């Protein structure tokens, strides 16, 4: 055990500041110089031997011999690349996230990484924001559950164990609320929305023991997050009791100058440390073990600096680095067959069946000649955003499908490229399709169109891909569309002509094989949308947990018949005038959060609630309510279903969402059999935040809605003051 206080007492001011920084440098000589100068953390230099060498320098060539934190963005895999986090969320299965985090930690730690900048737990309700793909979608409840699962699985029982990584919940906070979905743009979010929507996943990560939290590059309500004392020090550290490390985002601290809230980079560093940031990523050198410091004790409170250093040293101690910071280059893990098997299974669980009107899926064994077309026919770009250059590449659908269906005669034509117009390619497909009994059109976004700094204003398939789908539809040959993307895409212009559509966010190394299994019916596409698919970019943000408005619309907009005033078309507008809707769009999104079906059919039983009335005092004291219902598989195939539990408070002191997710279960049910699914509701699930930022339980009726996206059941619960229960 290292005595942290004794070590701190021996440190000079400059040695302390040196510990409060992480830098990335490409050249080995620079990395070594940084390690020798007592820096606290470095980005992974690219191999176990190099990492060992840097640790050796830190341990042996600095006065205090403090080991290094070695950080890297291991977001959905080090070597074996799992589905992107948004794809994982579509599984509604925490085991998928756990498998990713376990394999990632084993592979990355075995080669010297000890700190991952993951999970991203930003709630995102705007698919224009490219970073939506790095998080778990639009629901605070779903995001919180995945945040907990990932943190626990990365960190294991003890960070000192091999195969663990210190997790980092990011980007604190409300990064997904950037105006207009443009990355790095300002955010302006009410305190109530922060409490109800954006903060809960961070709270969940902290409660799960997350070792670190990263602040966002955005300004929030006028204060850049890198200088936001209220959120970092008062809420995260004081209110939530977070005792880990708060790290800035890359160069986020010096960027306070560009934000216009600091005059110099030195002022910016002082403001960040003062606000509660413990480790500065990038920026000017803070301190050198045997040299000058950027700031003096008059610029930043020495007590605050000591607190930050203590947090860093405690993390190093928890990781066991003081005892042994080295790894065995002969024992590097992955990629290996076991990891790939887990990855394949995870990937099959993330696929969403958007529609299957023609019941073309799973593919009937009778197909003899199939045309595979679209840019994803032969593309191997399946890994998705935030993958390092050493991620294990994927094959293509043109490799995987013929292997799964060897008896079929396959024709493969590109048809269209991802981005460029390709009239000739589409003509080839038009000519070739009639000679086949089925066409599979594999379309989507290449990985580069999502992720950091990859916002889009147009949410349709890029390039000529929609024209390709239209051309195939016009041939009259039955066809299936497979969409592979980094965000929810607008599918409005073609979806009605495509009877069977699989939709997935990038699935990683095993994507093609997993999709082949789903297309064949070896695996069930029981994923559900973790983010709403809008009808058009103009409808964004559109999400399930919206408030009702004072004038909710009953019917949708349309431009089809004359109206008396604005000369637009649409009988619906006459029937339902002056209500909250767009004149030129049907009501609601194209596919809401939770949408998705499968290859079999289910019937839901009547829900049973353990109590019809519950005392608020009892809930506050920890009482819970159980809601259960039976799910019967009424189809001819074994299958899986996803049950979602929503709550709605119809009369509250502040407007509540029309429904709020409070539980989910993915359940496997054999054909002809039934399973009972049960949910537990606690006080937190029924709590609302009032305008004074108080979390309260209010008396009155709560509707509890259970749905699998196809049918719905509901039950009422009465919250009362005093008895019963207390
Ligand atoms: C991103 C972070 C990431 C960091 C380090 C930044 O640009 O916003 O999410 O962890 O870089 O790579």
């Amino acid at each position: 055990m290292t005595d942290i206080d004794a070590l701190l007492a021996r440190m000079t001011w400059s040695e302390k500041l040196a510990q409060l920084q992480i830098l990335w440098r490409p050249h080995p000589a620079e990395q070594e110089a940084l390690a020798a100068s007592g820096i606290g953390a470095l980005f992974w230099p690219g191999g176990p031997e190099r990492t060992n060498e840097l640790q050796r320098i830190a341990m042996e060539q600095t006065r205090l011999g403090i080991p290094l934190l070695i950080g890297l963005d291991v977001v959905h895999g080090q070597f074996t690349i799992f589905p992107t986090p948004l794809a994982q969320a579509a599984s509604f299965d925490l085991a998928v996230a756990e498998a990713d985090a376990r394999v990632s930690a084993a592979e990355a730690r075995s080669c010297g990484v000890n700190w991952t900048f993951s999970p991203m737990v930003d709630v995102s309700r705007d698919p224009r924001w490219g970073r939506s793909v790095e998080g778990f979608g639009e629901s605070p409840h779903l995001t919180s559950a995945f945040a907990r699962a990932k943190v626990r699985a990365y960190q294991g029982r003890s960070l000192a164990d091999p195969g663990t990584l210190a997790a980092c919940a990011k980007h604190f906070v409300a990064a997904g609320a950037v105006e207009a979905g443009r990355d790095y743009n300002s955010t302006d979010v009410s305190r109530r929305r922060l409490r109800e929507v954006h903060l809960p996943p961070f709270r969940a990560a902290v409660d799960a023991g997350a070792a670190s939290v990263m602040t966002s590059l955005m300004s929030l309500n006028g204060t850049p997050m890198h200088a936001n004392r209220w959120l970092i020090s008062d809420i995260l550290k004081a209110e939530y009791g977070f005792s880990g490390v708060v790290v800035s985002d890359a160069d986020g601290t010096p960027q306070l100058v560009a934000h216009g809230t600091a005059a110099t980079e030195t002022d910016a560093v002082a403001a960040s440390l003062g606000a509660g940031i413990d480790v500065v990523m990038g920026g000017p050198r803070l301190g050198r073990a045997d040299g000058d410091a950027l700031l003096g004790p008059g610029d930043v409170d020495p007590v605050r600096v000591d607190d930050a250093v203590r947090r860093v040293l405690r993390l190093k101690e928890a990781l066991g680095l003081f005892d042994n910071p080295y790894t065995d280059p002969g024992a590097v893990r992955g990629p290996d067959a076991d990891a790939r098997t887990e990855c394949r299974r995870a990937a099959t669980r993330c696929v969403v069946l958007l529609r299957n009107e023609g019941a073309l899926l799973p593919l009937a064994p009778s197909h003899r000649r199939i045309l595979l077309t679209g840019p994803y026919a032969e593309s191997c770009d399946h890994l998705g955003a935030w993958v390092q250059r050493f991620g294990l590449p994927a094959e293509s659908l043109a490799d995987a499908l013929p292997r799964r269906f060897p008896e079929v005669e396959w024709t493969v034509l590109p048809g269209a490229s991802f981005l460029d117009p390709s009239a000739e390619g589409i003509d080839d497909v038009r000519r070739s399709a009639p000679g086949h009994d089925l066409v599979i059109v594999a379309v989507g976004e290449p990985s580069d169109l999502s992720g950091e700094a990859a916002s889009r204003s147009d949410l349709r398939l890029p390039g000529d891909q929609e024209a390709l789908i239209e051309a195939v539809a016009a041939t009259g040959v039955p066809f299936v569309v497979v969409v592979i993307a980094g965000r929810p895409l607008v599918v409005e212009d073609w979806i009605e002509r495509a009877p069977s559509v699989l939709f997935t966010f990038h699935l990683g190394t095993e994507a093609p094989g997993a999709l082949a299994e789903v297309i064949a019916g070896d695996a069930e596409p029981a994923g559900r949308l973790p983010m709403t698919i809008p009808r058009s970019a103009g409808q964004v943000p559109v999400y399930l947990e919206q408030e009702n408005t004072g004038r909710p619309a009953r019917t949708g907009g349309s431009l089809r018949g004359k109206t008396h005033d604005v000369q637009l078309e649409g009988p619906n507008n006459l029937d339902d005038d002056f209500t909250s809707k767009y004149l030129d769009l049907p009501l609601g999104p194209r596919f809401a959060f939770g949408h998705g079906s499968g290859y079999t059919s289910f019937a839901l039983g009547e829900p049973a609630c353990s109590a019809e009335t519950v005392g608020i005092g009892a809930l506050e004291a920890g009482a819970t309510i159980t809601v259960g219902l039976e799910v019967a598989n009424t189809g001819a195939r074994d299958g899986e279903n996803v049950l979602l539990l929503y709550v709605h408070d119809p009369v509250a002191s502040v407007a509540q969402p029309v429904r709020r997710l409070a539980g989910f279960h993915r359940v496997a049910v054999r054909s002809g059999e039934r399973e009972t699914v049960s949910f537990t509701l606690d006080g937190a699930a029924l709590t609302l935040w009032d305008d004074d930022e108080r979390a309260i339980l209010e008396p009155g009726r709560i509707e509890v809605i259970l749905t699998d996206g196809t049918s719905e059941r509901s039950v009422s619960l009465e919250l009362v003051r005093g008895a019963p229960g207390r």
Side-chain angles (χ1 to χ4, degrees), residues 22 24 43 71-75 116-118 120 122 131 134 168 170-171 183-184 214-218 247-251 255 281 386 388 452-453:
I22 175 165
W24 179 79
F43 273 80
L72 187 69
D73 294 89
V74 186
V75 173
T116 176
F117 304 122
S118 172
M120 187 188 99
D122 300 316
R131 302 203 80 167
E134 292 175 53
C168 182
K170 68 187 189 185
H171 306 86
D183 209 5
Y184 314 127
M214 183 187 290
T215 38
S216 99
L217 293 164
M218 293 61 164
V247 58
S248 83
D249 200 342
D251 287 327
Q255 285 163 12
M281 184 184 286
W386 264 120
Q388 312 288 349
E452 186 170 355

Side-chain angles (χ1 to χ4, degrees), residues 396-409:
S396 70
L397 284 173
D399 298 319
L401 281 167
R403 215 176 33 242
R404 175 58 188 79
F405 297 92
E407 68 289 358
V408 169
E409 196 183 314

Side-chain angles (χ1 to χ4, degrees), residues 135 194 329 368 437 559 569 604 687:
L194 281 177
R368 288 286 155 256
D437 47 27
L559 297 179
E569 313 245 317
L604 304 186
T687 295

Side-chain angles (χ1 to χ4, degrees), residues 98-145:
E98 286 158 1
D100 160 32
R102 254 188 290 104
V103 171
S104 294
E107 291 184 353
R109 186 74 182 261
S110 74
C111 46
V113 181
N114 49 44
W115 188 15
T116 176
F117 304 122
S118 172
M120 187 188 99
V121 301
D122 300 316
V123 170
S124 32
R125 294 175 163 183
D126 189 335
R128 292 171 300 182
W129 191 48
R131 302 203 80 167
S132 305
V133 74
E134 292 175 53
F136 302 104
E138 70 180 48
S139 152
H141 179 85
L142 189 67
T143 303
S144 300

Side-chain angles (χ1 to χ4, degrees), residues 623-634:
T624 57
I625 302 137
T626 310
V627 186
L629 94 167
E630 263 189 2
V631 184
N633 183 340
T634 52

